[in-house]
Amino acid sequence: MTYNKPIPPQGQHTKPFWDGAREGRLMLPRCTNCNRVHWYPRLICPTCHSMDIEWIEASGEGHIHTYAVQHRAFGGWGEEVPYVTAYIDLKEGDRMMTVLRGVDPMRPEDIKIGARVRVEFEAASEDTHIPFWRLAED
Amino acid sequence: MAAKLKNAAAIVGAAESNEIGYPEERGPKVTSLQHHIEAIRNVSDQTGIPISDIDGIFSAGWSSQLAEYLGLKPHYIDTTSVGGCSFQMHVHHALAAIHAGIIDVALVSHGQAGWSYRGAGGRRGNTAPGEIDPGIEMSMAYGAFGAPSSYAHAMVRHMHNFGTTAEDFAHISVVTRQWATLNPRALMYSTETNPFGGPITVQDVMEARLIAWPLTLYHCCLVTDHGGAVIVARPEIARSLRTNPVWIAGAGESMGHANMLEMEDFTATSASRSSATAYEMAGMGPGDMEMAMIYDSFTITAAITAEMLGLAPRGKGYTLWKEGHAAPGGRLPINTNGGGLSFNHSGMYGMQLLVEAYRQLSGTAEDGVNGVEGKQTDARTCVVNGTGGTLSTTGTLVLTADG
Ligand SMILES: [Zn+2]
């Protein structure tokens, strides 16, 4: 089935992320001066303002920071309501947005902030594989 | 007046991005954003002023994104974009802000890939085809539609941190609707003005249609038309008019982020900083405020903002409504027009806050607007707080009645 939801255009400065995603690897930018990972990707470290940024392969592990259940959506997402959106605290630092998998949107109280999640990738197109996060098995 | 600004500030450095002219003939195309960032890095190196010392940010349409990108929380954000003369105006505005003691270090920045992306549009000029803010690039795949889908995440985190419940926040809708039933211009004044108008209960709020759990429809503001305007004048003029002046005792602004992806604490906004500036200027504190006009795009917005303004302890903002303090007849009336929740909300509601604050403090709320009666309180002081974006940016005013 063709992917029917919004596919991000790939920015000029985010190529290593999308290249990694196509190989199933989660790539994150890290400042070589202060060693902090930041998200979203930047040309300059938002903490120490060094422009020496490298890309590292992340563990693909994280925790739920917060979430919500979307009951109103449009386009391809409209066919999937309700679904759970979430922000994920990355093991390496900073935070990503996602649609959370492996949770029951009709039982939102059962979803736990702090629960462990793992990244997986979905091929939205040949070029663009999108990371999503799934509740980890205990 | 303007002579007071003479020599009030100086330009202390000026630099450019690394590859100007026709960069693509030497290598890859350079984006407008890259031009900004390189020039900023270079002027910081030239002057020895760390980027983190910048407390005022000026650009033609880029300011909140640049501040977020640089990890800054500036106290002055000016994104005036009126064409090629914008930067001269930015220097003028920076001069006034420095003279006023609001900021010490102003960054005026420009980046435009006028050749590399010639012919390309974009609201900030010459952005690469398909290129969007990287924060949007990294969140647009994830099924968030409009403000409610984002704000719900803040409410869930507030519930987690402080043990609050959706019922707690529902009281904000109920009390704000009480104010609307006193304001004939409010959309939800009565069932005459709207089929869903008139008083509502906590149960009504809880049983309304789910938009983004835990937000039901009645936790969300209206979407309406609205226009408003205010005039600000200096004291000699203000005292000479037939209208009652309302004095601007304090003002402050700040921002946390542009994209919710960058929100550090989902239960806090920059209103803690913008209000601290405003209170300090006014020589007053939250205990001196006799009413409040608080942006209520959602119940959670109002609750968090009440906490940030110091009107309630952390985690307890909702108690102002639940215990009736914010209600008609309460000790701290809040959103006396019926709020964005029940009066009107045009998308950018901040003007509606100003109009109502002026009406209350000028003693003209009963006179109403366009001949329609309102509800006059006896408040002499009012804190007004606007929130923009997704709990992103805040502006706070401390207003006082005349005399
Ligand atoms: Zn760094």
Side-chain angles (χ1 to χ4, degrees), chain A residues 31 33-36 45 47-50:
Chain A
C31 171
N33 185 54
C34 72
N35 289 320
R36 284 188 179 83
C45 170
T47 300
C48 76
H49 300 118
S50 164

Side-chain angles (χ1 to χ4, degrees), chain B residues 254-269:
Chain B
S254 193
M255 60 172 279
H257 54 274
N259 188 308
M260 203 168 204
L261 188 57
E262 294 297 298
M263 189 166 184
E264 287 166 13
D265 179 348
F266 276 75
T267 70
T269 72

Side-chain angles (χ1 to χ4, degrees), chain B residues 72-121:
Chain B
L72 299 176
K73 314 281 188 211
H75 286 279
Y76 203 101
I77 301 143
D78 180 337
T79 200
T80 300
S81 184
V82 291
C85 65
S86 299
F87 312 97
Q88 285 68 37
M89 294 184 183
H90 295 151
V91 171
H92 179 205
H93 302 172
L95 175 71
I98 290 169
H99 174 70
I102 300 166
I103 54 171
D104 296 316
V105 179
L107 169 72
V108 180
S109 183
H110 172 58
Q112 189 169 15
W115 172 259
S116 290
Y117 292 103
R118 58 192 177 279

